């Protein structure tokens, strides 16, 4: 099909989609079209452009055929280049949040870090990301998307250099905060930038690629952690410093990449916007797209004359208020479903399923990260096939089931938890709390204690609950399990944070099931949907708020996981996440409209009716109309 013909089809498609919902008029047009031998109307023009036999098509068939034809049109490679360079921000987000667990194993020994300092180094990054994601809204609106991405890559580079060269823990803390600032800005800017550059039929796929890069970053971090864990001295410098490579690459790339055309039009830089639009659309005609963006901005400006801060205007205008609730709700439930307890504590959960070798647990954590990555790839493929709504609902349903499997696995393990059969005297004098527990289950949940036992065939014998060594959780403070190597040679096994039971494998099964379901939908969709549901004037602020909610809930869940497990037990914690996921399912079923294939400028109308009527229609495309 010639380029001109494809433009006509595109134009016709848009005109047709405007006609959707106006059934009466369409019917009339069909009749007119039929009466005039199908040559005069828009439908007929699409027919001629696409060479579809004029007798065989009703409006629905015609529209489908025209849409297919349009989608088959070649998308300029430049859009992919822009998306991949932006998504390096996602890679760094994943790498820097993932790498710290392996680095911490080495750092805590080399720098003698207390538990408080370890927690500070992990959570300072996530906390800083929450703050900078919120601030990123103003920066994006005022400076534009491109300067924000450049700023994020500079912060990533600076952070990596500071961390790799750090001589003390205070410098490490500074480096982690700098990296966190970069993560926050990147996490809210990149999806918006990609969504604004992508053509509607590829937007979901391209924004989802950003999450593929996040999980790819987490997987690479796990592999780097595994590889450098053999380098006991300074291995952490490589782990933390290596992120400078993609950061510099992104910085250099973005020196040559353009600003978002939508932001340029909003700022009145129309000539530049036209140039960029032609550049990213190749030689397709951009007039219709340009006019549609321009018109919607003009309309927004007329309507938005009320003034006041953007967040205030978003809250008093029902469609943006509803979009904000949906966007923040999605991000909140993504985190409340417990993804980062699974990602950050997968080694611990794997130990629960009987893996008693630290290094093996690190490598198996890389397998977990790989599962997350590879199933996000499935999401990239499914997002334009199933649409956002079906994919998110299916994914969260499976995730909820997996959380119940995890919880039941822990419950069964707790019920057959081996008893403590041997209570040696504490050589340091007064008995510790550890010696008061009569089952492994209770002993395991106390962070100060571990379970030391021997195996006779498949049964557990001579088991005791002993205080953990203050310097390393790999061994007991005293007794048979005091020395790692000696204890193995002597047949004694030290279990910290887990109990050896025959049901432990259910934890592994639950973990894998969880990621298989979570990764294609609940992982990427909150980012994808947020990048498209706000009108331009509210887009930066909407994404800043929802990303902020994501990071705040991330801190909340990942920092409280171990304490929650202590108070509610492991199975209690996972039942809690399963319950929260059920609430999320109801919310998403009721409130998430389908945005697949819509122009960004059309999406606002999806939020015009009452929020929880969004799930009322069973049509795939027409929710919330
Ligand atoms: O979408 C991402 C992804 O699912 C990651 O694996 C997770 O660590 C992030 O918190 C989340 O925002």
């Amino acid at each position: 099909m010639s380029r001109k013909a494809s433009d006509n089809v595109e134009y016709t498609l848009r005109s047709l989609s405007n006609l959707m919902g106006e059934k009466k008029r369409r019917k009339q047009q069909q009749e007119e079209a039929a009466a005039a031998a199908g040559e005069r109307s828009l439908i007929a023009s699409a027919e001629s452009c696409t060479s579809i036999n004029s007798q065989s098509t009703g409006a629905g068939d015609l529209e489908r055929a025209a849409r297919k034809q349009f989608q088959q049109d070649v998308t300029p490679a430049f859009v992919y280049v822009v998306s991949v360079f932006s998504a390096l921000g996602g890679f760094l987000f994943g790498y820097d949040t993932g790498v710290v667990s392996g680095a911490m194993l080495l750092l805590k020994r080399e720098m003698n870090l207390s538990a408080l300092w370890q927690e500070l180094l992990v959570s300072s990054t996530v906390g800083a990301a929450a703050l900078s994601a919120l601030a990123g809204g103003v920066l994006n609106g005022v400076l534009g998307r491109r300067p924000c991405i450049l700023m994020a890559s500079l912060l990533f580079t600076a952070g990596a250099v500071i961390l790799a060269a750090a001589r003390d823990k205070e410098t490490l803390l500074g480096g982690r905060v700098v990296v966190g600032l970069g993560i926050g800005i990147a996490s809210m800017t990149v999806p918006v930038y990609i969504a604004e550059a992508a053509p509607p039929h590829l937007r979901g796929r391209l924004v989802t690629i950003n999450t593929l890069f996040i999980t790819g970053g987490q997987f690479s971090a796990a592999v780097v952690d595994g590889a450098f864990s053999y380098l006991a001295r300074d291995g952490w410098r490589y782990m933390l410093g290596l992120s400078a490579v993609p950061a510099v690459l992104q910085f250099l790339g973005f020196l040559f990449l353009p600003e978002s055309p939508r932001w340029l039009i909003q700022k009145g830089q129309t000539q530049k916007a036209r140039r960029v639009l032609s550049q990213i659309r190749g030689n397709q005609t951009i007039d219709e797209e340009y006019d549609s963006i321009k018109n919607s901005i003009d309309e927004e400006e007329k309507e938005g004359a009320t003034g006041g801060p953007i967040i205030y205007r978003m809250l008093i205008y029902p469609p943006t208020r509803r979009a904000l609730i949906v966007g923040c709700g999605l991000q909140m439930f993504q985190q409340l479903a417990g993804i980062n307890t699974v990602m950050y504590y997968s080694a611990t959960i794997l130990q629960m399923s009987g893996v008693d070798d630290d290094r093996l647990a690190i490598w198996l954590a890389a397998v977990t990260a790989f599962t997350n990555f590879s199933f996000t790839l499935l999401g990239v493929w499914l997002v334009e096939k199933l649409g956002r709504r079906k994919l998110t609902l299916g994914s969260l349903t499976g995730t909820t089931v997996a959380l119940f499997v995890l919880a039941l696995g822990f419950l069964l393990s707790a019920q057959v938890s081996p008893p403590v059969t041997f209570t040696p005297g504490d050589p340091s004098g007064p008995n510790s709390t550890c010696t008061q527990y009569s089952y492994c289950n209770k002993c395991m949940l106390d962070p100060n204690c571990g379970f030391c036992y021997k195996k006779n065939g498949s049964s557990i014998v001579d088991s005791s609950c002993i205080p953990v060594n203050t310097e390393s959780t790999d061994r007991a403070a005293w007794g048979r399990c005091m020395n790692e190597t000696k204890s193995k040679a002597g047949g004694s096994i030290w279990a910290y944070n887990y109990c050896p039971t025959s049901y432990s494998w259910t934890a592994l099964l639950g973990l894998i099931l969880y990621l298989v379901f979570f990764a294609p939908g609940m992982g990427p969709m909150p980012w994808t949907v947020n990048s498209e549901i706000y009108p331009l004037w509210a887009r930066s602020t909407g994404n800043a708020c929802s990303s902020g909610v994501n990071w705040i809930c991330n801190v909340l869940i990942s920092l409280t996981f171990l304490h929650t497990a202590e108070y509610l037990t492991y199975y209690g914690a996972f039942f809690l996440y399963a319950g929260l996921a059920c609430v999320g399912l109801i919310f998403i079923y009721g409130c998430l409209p389908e945005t697949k294939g819509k122009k960004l400028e059309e999406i606002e109308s999806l939020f015009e009716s009452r929020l929880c009527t969004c799930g009322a229609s069973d049509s795939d495309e027409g929710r919330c109309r």
Side-chain angles (χ1 to χ4, degrees):
M1 178 167 71
S2 75
R3 183 69 61 189
K4 181 131 198 328
S6 100
D7 291 335
N8 285 341
V9 173
E10 178 184 359
Y11 180 78
T12 306
L13 251 180
R14 288 187 175 133
S15 309
L16 278 171
S17 84
N18 288 337
L19 289 173
M20 280 170 73
E22 297 175 41
K23 281 190 184 157
K24 258 189 174 171
R25 226 175 83 202
R26 190 162 69 180
K27 207 168 161 227
Q28 221 176 358
Q29 280 184 343
Q30 278 171 15
E31 281 163 10
E32 280 170 20
E39 291 304 320
R40 256 184 14 242
S41 68
L42 286 172
I43 294 170
S45 93
E47 277 180 8
S48 63
C49 293
T50 53
S51 310
I52 295 166
N53 183 343
S54 64
Q55 298 146 21
S56 68
T57 50
D61 289 346
L62 177 64
E63 186 190 328
R64 260 194 302 282
R67 191 181 286 274
K68 200 167 163 212
Q69 189 83 53
F70 172 54
Q71 288 175 1
Q72 276 166 357
D73 197 12
V74 188
T75 303
F78 193 60
V79 166
Y80 294 103
V81 174
V82 162
S83 305
V84 165
F85 268 96
S86 322
L88 281 176
F91 181 88
L92 287 156
F93 157 178
Y95 186 90
D96 282 320
T97 49
V99 78
V100 70
S101 59
M104 201 57 75
L105 290 178
L106 304 182
L107 266 172
K108 69 181 179 193
R109 285 192 198 125
E110 208 172 311
M111 291 217 178
N112 226 343
L113 295 178
S114 65
L116 176 71
W117 266 94
Q118 290 178 45
E119 270 178 7
L120 263 178
L121 289 177
V122 176
S123 47
S124 55
T125 307
V126 187
L131 291 180
S132 70
L134 288 169
V138 180
L139 295 176
N140 256 271
V142 176
L143 303 176
R145 325 300 187 214
R146 183 175 167 268
C148 284
I149 295 182
L150 281 169
M151 193 189 302
S153 44
L154 273 183
L155 286 166
F156 282 125
T157 315
V161 172
I162 298 173
L163 286 166
R167 304 243 153 263
D168 49 41
K169 51 186 188 286
E170 290 76 12
T171 317
L172 279 174
L173 183 60
R176 291 290 292 164
V177 169
V178 173
V179 163
L181 294 175
I183 296 180
I185 297 180
S187 72
M188 70 128 312
T189 311
V190 170
V192 171
Y193 178 78
I194 299 179
E196 290 185 341
H201 69 284
L202 275 183
R203 190 181 57 238
R205 186 157 293 165
L206 292 178
V207 181
T208 306
I209 284 183
N210 184 48
T211 314
L212 183 71
F213 273 57
I214 299 178
T215 53
Q218 288 174 326
F219 171 55
S220 311
V223 173
V224 169
D225 276 356
F228 285 102
S229 65
Y230 298 92
L231 196 66
R233 232 195 120 63
D234 286 347
W236 58 269
R237 292 189 192 278
Y238 298 98
M239 297 177 185
L240 299 171
L242 268 176
S243 63
V245 177
V248 169
L249 194 67
Q250 189 187 42
F251 183 81
L252 293 178
F254 259 85
L255 289 178
F256 302 97
L257 291 176
E259 179 52 86
S260 149
R262 285 178 163 81
W263 186 88
L264 288 171
I265 301 178
Q266 192 190 30
K267 295 292 165 191
Q269 302 182 31
T270 48
Q271 284 315 313
K272 209 165 168 192
R274 274 184 164 283
R275 257 204 322 276
V276 173
L277 213 49
S278 319
Q279 201 181 4
I280 55 181
R281 294 285 174 267
N283 52 359
Q284 292 173 7
T285 304
I286 53 145
D287 291 346
E288 206 266 340
E289 185 171 5
Y290 176 86
D291 289 345
S292 138
I293 302 173
K294 182 89 179 69
N295 288 344
S296 85
I297 290 174
D298 291 346
E299 240 166 70
E300 278 171 10
E301 267 165 15
K302 261 188 254 149
E303 283 168 10
T306 34
I310 296 179
I311 184 70
Y312 170 74
R313 280 162 53 200
M314 284 181 80
L315 290 173
I316 58 168
Y317 180 52
T320 45
R321 183 175 61 233
R322 291 176 194 129
L324 190 64
I325 294 173
V326 170
C328 291
L330 273 175
Q331 291 287 25
M332 180 176 86
F333 285 113
Q334 180 196 63
Q335 292 300 318
L336 296 191
I339 175 66
N340 289 317
T341 57
V342 169
M343 289 309 291
Y344 303 167
Y345 295 97
S346 55
T348 310
I349 299 175
L350 285 161
Q351 281 183 334
M352 286 281 310
S353 53
V355 179
D356 56 7
D357 179 319
D358 259 8
R359 211 149 258 157
L360 183 60
I362 290 182
W363 282 113
L364 281 176
V367 175
T368 331
F370 181 73
T371 313
N372 194 14
F373 168 69
S374 48
F375 281 85
T376 310
L377 196 62
L378 180 67
V380 172
W381 183 67
L382 286 178
V383 64
E384 296 298 358
K385 301 219 172 298
L386 291 181
R388 308 2 172 194
R389 186 179 153 83
K390 277 191 193 149
L391 186 55
T392 314
L393 278 174
S395 159
L396 190 54
T397 309
T399 304
T400 313
V401 172
L403 281 167
F404 277 113
V405 171
L406 267 170
L408 283 174
F410 283 117
L411 178 64
L412 288 174
S413 294
Q415 278 176 346
V416 296
S417 173
V420 171
T421 56
F422 172 50
T423 318
D426 186 336
S428 57
N431 271 358
S432 76
T433 51
C434 305
T435 49
Q436 290 160 19
Y437 299 123
S438 35
Y439 283 91
C440 171
N441 183 29
K442 292 270 177 231
C443 172
M444 162 194 82
L445 284 169
D446 187 331
N448 301 314
C449 314
F451 193 67
C452 182
Y453 66 100
K454 284 186 180 172
K455 262 187 157 175
N456 184 359
S458 61
S459 41
I460 286 156
V461 293
D462 291 347
S463 52
S464 48
C465 183
I466 309 286
V468 64
N469 192 303
T470 42
E471 265 155 35
S472 162
T473 55
D474 293 343
R475 49 188 187 269
W478 48 264
R480 297 169 300 160
C481 288
M482 189 179 153
N483 182 312
E484 224 183 330
T485 26
K486 220 197 257 167
S487 67
K488 278 201 178 132
S492 298
I493 304 169
W494 173 242
Y496 181 73
N497 228 334
Y498 75 96
C499 287
T501 80
S502 48
Y503 286 107
S504 303
W505 58 271
T506 51
L508 182 61
L509 174 73
L511 192 75
I512 301 286
L513 255 188
Y514 180 98
L515 289 171
V516 164
F517 283 110
F518 186 94
M522 275 310 280
M525 285 311 106
W527 299 107
T528 305
V529 171
N530 269 286
S531 71
E532 45 191 26
I533 53 177
Y534 309 102
L536 185 55
W537 62 268
R539 194 166 296 145
S540 312
T541 308
N543 274 278
C545 290
S546 59
S547 310
V549 166
N550 179 292
W551 288 109
I552 290 167
C553 295
N554 183 338
V555 185
L556 213 84
I557 288 285
S558 48
L559 268 188
T560 55
F561 175 60
L562 291 179
H563 288 101
T564 314
E566 213 179 307
Y567 289 111
L568 297 181
T569 69
Y570 273 108
Y571 63 82
F574 282 102
F575 275 128
L576 175 70
Y577 301 140
L580 292 169
C582 285
V583 180
L585 257 180
I586 299 172
F587 172 79
I588 291 169
Y589 182 80
C591 305
L592 179 65
E594 182 54 70
T595 48
K596 181 181 114 183
K598 302 241 176 307
K599 279 191 293 173
L600 287 178
E601 286 67 33
E602 288 169 351
I603 290 175
E604 188 183 343
S605 69
L606 296 177
F607 291 93
E608 258 155 22
S609 42
R610 272 185 36 230
L611 184 63
C612 285
T613 54
C614 300
S617 150
D618 54 7
S619 126
D620 192 23
E621 308 254 335
R623 296 194 178 261
C624 260
R625 284 194 155 239

